[in-house]
Amino acid sequence: MAPTIHPFDSVKDYEIRLASKLVKDAYPASANVNFVQIDKVDPPKQDMKKFLAIEKAGGALPTISRVLYAYYYTNTFTFNKALVNVTSGHIITKEQLENGVQGPLLPDDVGRWEEICIAHPLIKAEIEKLKLPPGYVVRTDPWIYATDDPNERRGLVQFYMYLCASNGHAESNHYSLPLKFSPVFETRSAEFVRMDYLPGGFDETVTPTLPWQQVPCVEYHPELNGETVMRDPKPLLISQPEGPSFTVEGSKVKWLGWEFRVATTAREGFAVYDVWFKGRQVFYRISLSEMTVPYGDPRAPYHRKQAFDLGDCGFGTNGNKLGLGCDCLGTIHYLDGMSVHSNGEPYVIPNTVCMHEQDNGILYKHVNYRTDVAVVARKREFVVQTIATVANYEYIINLKFCNDGLIDIETRATGILSTMPIDENVTVPWGTIVGPNVMAAYHQHILSFRIDPAIDGHKNSVVYDDVEMLPKSKLNPYGIGFVTKRNFVERSGYIDQAPFANRTYKIINENKINPISKSPVGFKVMMPARQMILADKDSFNVKRAAFATQQVWVTKYRDHQLFAAGEFTNQSQKDTGLGVWADGKDEVRNEDIVVWATLGFTHIPRVEDFPVMPVETHNIHLQPANFFDKNPALDYPQSNQSFNKSVLYNGQAEEKACCKTNL
Amino acid sequence: MAPTIHPFDSVKDYEIRLASKLVKDAYPASANVNFVQIDKVDPPKQDMKKFLAIEKAGGALPTISRVLYAYYYTNTFTFNKALVNVTSGHIITKEQLENGVQGPLLPDDVGRWEEICIAHPLIKAEIEKLKLPPGYVVRTDPWIYATDDPNERRGLVQFYMYLCASNGHAESNHYSLPLKFSPVFETRSAEFVRMDYLPGGFDETVTPTLPWQQVPCVEYHPELNGETVMRDPKPLLISQPEGPSFTVEGSKVKWLGWEFRVATTAREGFAVYDVWFKGRQVFYRISLSEMTVPYGDPRAPYHRKQAFDLGDCGFGTNGNKLGLGCDCLGTIHYLDGMSVHSNGEPYVIPNTVCMHEQDNGILYKHVNYRTDVAVVARKREFVVQTIATVANYEYIINLKFCNDGLIDIETRATGILSTMPIDENVTVPWGTIVGPNVMAAYHQHILSFRIDPAIDGHKNSVVYDDVEMLPKSKLNPYGIGFVTKRNFVERSGYIDQAPFANRTYKIINENKINPISKSPVGFKVMMPARQMILADKDSFNVKRAAFATQQVWVTKYRDHQLFAAGEFTNQSQKDTGLGVWADGKDEVRNEDIVVWATLGFTHIPRVEDFPVMPVETHNIHLQPANFFDKNPALDYPQSNQSFNKSVLYNGQAEEKACCKTNL
């Protein structure tokens, strides 16, 4: 018998095995079933609401079937999706997807394609023309093809070619030495389609492949980067001698008033479910939903550089194996992720999510100046972290739960810039030269976070509050008054940004009035105003990523509407997500709703971002706003030296007393 | 003989004693000299440039006279300023300031005024009318009077009155129980001027004082706040068994490639001087320059609530005595501040600045997906922190120097909301009800940070780069291209915000070209787009705080131009700072310039902000941008478990290997 599984638990290896077996058995061997993704489907919310209510109350839990989806190819080119009930062991549906729909890339395939590309006679012939000096080998990054033609054939992948210096040292930074030819393959058949040549000057002109002009490689790896005099930081150790403040049992986390579940997923990395703080329900599900990365270099084939890192590749599928003492400090709990080989056999991505607690400075302080008595509490955070490597880039996603009820959704972009060749003494207005003959084009990272709220229940509304000056009047004779103006979102759609109006988005529950403020309880969605997608409204970049055009979206909840740009993004022609769902038809006031927060950053590379990029950090905050009847952290202990055990720098002789307090 | 002092060192007690003695000796005893502030004047930059060059080169240092300023009253009402050379021991100038100019408040005075107010027969009579039940006492917060009348007399202070519950427990939160009368005193003579009455309804109507309607007090102090079931965080200890990575000698700090000086000041809290990173000069001086806090309740006397927390009160003068293990964790170095009594006698504010290093997650990471080899370095920060208590509010200023060359200027607002009485069942559009019969008016915190750059030298320029879509063309047939457009600031003035253009402000040195990017070296000034001051352009709120109308200002450097709203803000009628200096007359391109970054936040109080407010955190980043020729943190060691010594959560049996690496 299988161990007990919670409906929100991540997929298990035996579930994947069963699903892939059932699917394979449904086809003749000659169909040659090739999987690209298998994962769990979220249970219907209607069922889960009942389940969770019984779970809270402590009754006998109903059985909720575990359902998996499988994406797979048959007969080389046919893309299919099956839904499999692995509780009862049967296929619910299987369908051949309409022509034009592609599945995400499978990491196994990407590795294999590199070999196929480099071994191809036409590529070998092109490499020959480079007349490479000894010590250089050619490497390629298969890149998502994207779209510039509604009639383009499917299965295309663009291969960007690079040189690997340092006698082929495996960790040499090939992104420093981009080459000027780029083959396209149809990957399911491994068929060479076309050779693209890359411009090196200030316009779109290309040239045939010439002998390579030797330039130094800008290396990042410590064995290669040439740094000989290292800085000397002293260890900074974080210890929890009495153990951490959290407990984890399966997917269930409890930490200082917070309760929620964390499950790894193939596409999102992880999702958190059923989030409660201090005994009150706040969110049903939070996750990263999609990210698109369009590039601003207009020249072919770069004009097609628009990755969808979740839909095209998968954050979980490409999740890092996190290292103890490398990726976070302190007392760490890890969760494993799960992926599949093309034969449907699952494999574990160990430690792909880490969880720990950390200090973040002062949470609140007040000193009574009459008595010099201070009250001070520190901000403690529980971090759920995952890191995905999507070819050159790394994305670090942190969900931080804070002891004052705030959730900080943090994105850190790092890794290596996607680079292009550039000739000596050329500059271009859409990119930064980051090394000898290497340019990093301007680009954008536009992420959509899906926030499924349950602010004291599932019937929620979205409002936005602007702050406006009061006109002069008898009441306001000096013209200094200002007030808030509340606007309700009545229908599915988006809300403009308005930072100069201090526009603040809130998810509220109109059925629950805060007894103190006499206004509905709610949570703020705090996000910086940002430039959205920079492309013509008729471009594929925009058509494929409606979510990237606006910063805050509201839709009515529907099962399986999880991904902002739609379920299938690889070579997609149009957005089948928010672009369809947020059509102004659904009523979203006092309904079960979903909020989609688009966080964008236009990345104008700095030289300092190469050869490996210091993090660019961006945050969205979900903050209780008139949800509690006072500061919810008053039950958090005061900060004091007997607890914190700080020490004085050795230049200082005597220890001074802690904050004057008679606690 | 006095110990050796660096010209950037903070003022010494004996210097204050000498200055105050010289000033007092210059007047007859009958003049009754009363000091309100004495501090050091920065040396002329011209002299310091020479001094610092010699200091770097190791030559014989010239003597730079230490000069102090003293603000003081004579003959009760006359406000004066003296400049005193304490190296040679003589008064340089002393002047009676023009009528209307007021000095900042002296903490000693504020304490004394409370006693005078409460003891006044007219106040006692008013209190009598409240018919207070036993266990309540009256307390008052003297509030800066500000301005609504160009002919108003000077020396006025508004006394906001409150009740202290809990049998007069000294830590009872009087801000929870505001009263409806508010006397005005002329404070130098202690003369009662007027009784203001405060509205309690939805408009400006006021009523005579009636018996007090008893309501519960919302307490914050742990002895009073009624929290009985405390959350149970486990200790999270930060230790540096090999000692910290920093050294401090006097004002000089060295930390992992950074070198700078830190000095406490009466007005700003602290300033950092002469900042170098990896052997290159980057900033001459950075400090908070001013903060104004206008309130949006239009009704008298609230329409005058506009504090200038630096100019009116002083961040250093009101600096906290920081507690080991309370206000920061780890290995801490403290600096003392200095203030004065009205007789000119100095006193130490111990531990008013703390400095320590901390971890801030991952700085960079890349995983080669072919080999699974990870490179990862952690972000380490050196924090210079001060905390000022300005009556009800606390402000935490952190300057964080990061191991990648970034400086993070962080402001955390906490403390207690300034509150107003409100009648039961009344709501107002300019405030939030935060407790029984207590309202917190909407307000803004608008801070000016003064950034005096020295990006590879003193001749710098300011540019702003917008990101714009390329029009469709043969080069850009798909309409997806985008480019940056650079604009130079030629004359002193301000730059509009334009977040949707991704407008990015940079301080560059046009005389120094980055050999890689082929563009001038520089630092970005990264700040969020924010709503600026919300008041009629003809209001005193705006006239007194021109800096609060725009987010980025550039002026030509001039000695002693340090404070954004001008030197004297108490009851000021107009801005004598940026409003005067940034007049478009000075050429500021390739000159010695100063950048003034205005960080604003409109604070719409939440119930959760009471009775003590979880921090609102806001950041400005100064980031190298094409300053270095590659990532400047490649010489920072890799993150690994032998250094970091993390541990697994006890639910996990076996320790897993650290990031796969052969380092």
Side-chain angles (χ1 to χ4, degrees), chain A residues 114 140-141 170-171 204 220 223 225 227 231 233-234 237-239 243 245 247-248 256 296 303 320-321 324-334 351 360 362-368 370-372 378 380 392 394 403 412 414-415 429 434 442 467 469 474-475 478-479 481-484 497 500 502 516 531 535-536 606-608 610 612 614-615 623-624 626-632 635-636 639 641 644 646-647 649 652 656 658-659 662, chain B residues 114 140-141 170-171 204 220 223 225 227 231 233-234 237-239 243 245 247-248 256 296 303 320-321 324-334 351 360 362-368 370-372 378 380 392 394 403 412 414-415 429 434 442 467 469 474-475 478-479 481-484 497 500 502 516 531 535-536 606-608 610 612 614-615 623-624 626-632 635-636 639 641 644 646-647 649 652 656 658-659 662:
Chain A
E114 177 163 12
T140 181
D141 271 25
E171 303 315 318
E204 68 276 29
Y220 63 84
E223 286 176 3
N225 67 18
E227 297 288 342
R231 280 185 275 171
K234 303 297 183 200
L237 306 183
I238 294 173
S239 61
S245 317
T247 62
V248 186
L256 296 177
H303 69 286
N320 285 191
K321 306 167 188 67
L324 186 69
C326 301
D327 298 294
C328 30
L329 302 189
T331 302
I332 318 296
H333 179 70
Y334 291 101
N351 295 0
N360 183 4
I362 289 172
L363 176 67
Y364 70 75
K365 182 171 190 184
H366 181 61
V367 178
N368 180 349
R370 294 166 184 81
T371 60
D372 242 10
R378 296 192 68 80
R380 185 76 72 93
N392 52 302
E394 265 70 19
N403 55 344
R412 296 186 177 205
T414 175
V434 294
Y442 304 162
V467 186
M469 282 203 268
K474 176 163 164 284
L475 176 67
Y478 295 93
F482 52 89
V483 296
T484 46
Q497 304 168 86
F500 305 133
N502 196 55
I516 303 295
Q531 189 172 46
D536 192 280
R606 306 174 295 149
V607 176
E608 289 86 349
F610 202 67
V612 61
V615 286
Q623 184 192 49
N626 303 329
F627 184 71
F628 291 102
D629 62 1
K630 61 179 179 175
N631 179 342
D635 65 347
Y636 193 83
S639 173
Q641 170 66 349
N644 291 325
S646 289
V647 299
Y649 172 61
Q652 288 178 308
K656 292 177 185 168
C658 193
C659 356
N662 49 6
Chain B
E114 176 163 12
T140 181
D141 271 26
E171 304 314 320
E204 69 275 28
Y220 62 84
E223 287 176 2
N225 66 19
E227 297 288 343
R231 279 185 275 170
K234 304 296 183 201
L237 306 183
I238 293 173
S239 61
S245 317
T247 62
V248 186
L256 296 177
H303 69 285
N320 286 191
K321 306 167 187 68
L324 186 70
C326 301
D327 298 294
C328 31
L329 302 189
T331 302
I332 319 296
H333 179 68
Y334 290 101
N351 295 1
N360 183 4
I362 290 172
L363 177 68
Y364 70 74
K365 181 169 190 184
H366 181 60
V367 178
N368 180 349
R370 293 165 184 80
T371 60
D372 242 10
R378 297 192 67 80
R380 187 76 72 95
N392 52 303
E394 266 70 18
N403 55 343
R412 295 186 178 204
T414 176
V434 293
Y442 303 161
V467 186
M469 282 204 269
K474 177 163 164 283
L475 177 67
Y478 295 92
F482 52 89
V483 296
T484 47
Q497 306 168 83
F500 305 132
N502 197 55
I516 303 296
Q531 189 173 47
D536 192 278
R606 305 174 296 148
V607 176
E608 289 86 349
F610 202 68
V612 61
V615 286
Q623 185 192 48
N626 303 328
F627 185 73
F628 291 102
D629 62 1
K630 61 178 178 174
N631 179 342
D635 66 347
Y636 193 83
S639 173
Q641 169 66 350
N644 291 325
S646 289
V647 299
Y649 171 61
Q652 289 178 309
K656 294 176 184 168
C658 193
C659 354
N662 47 6

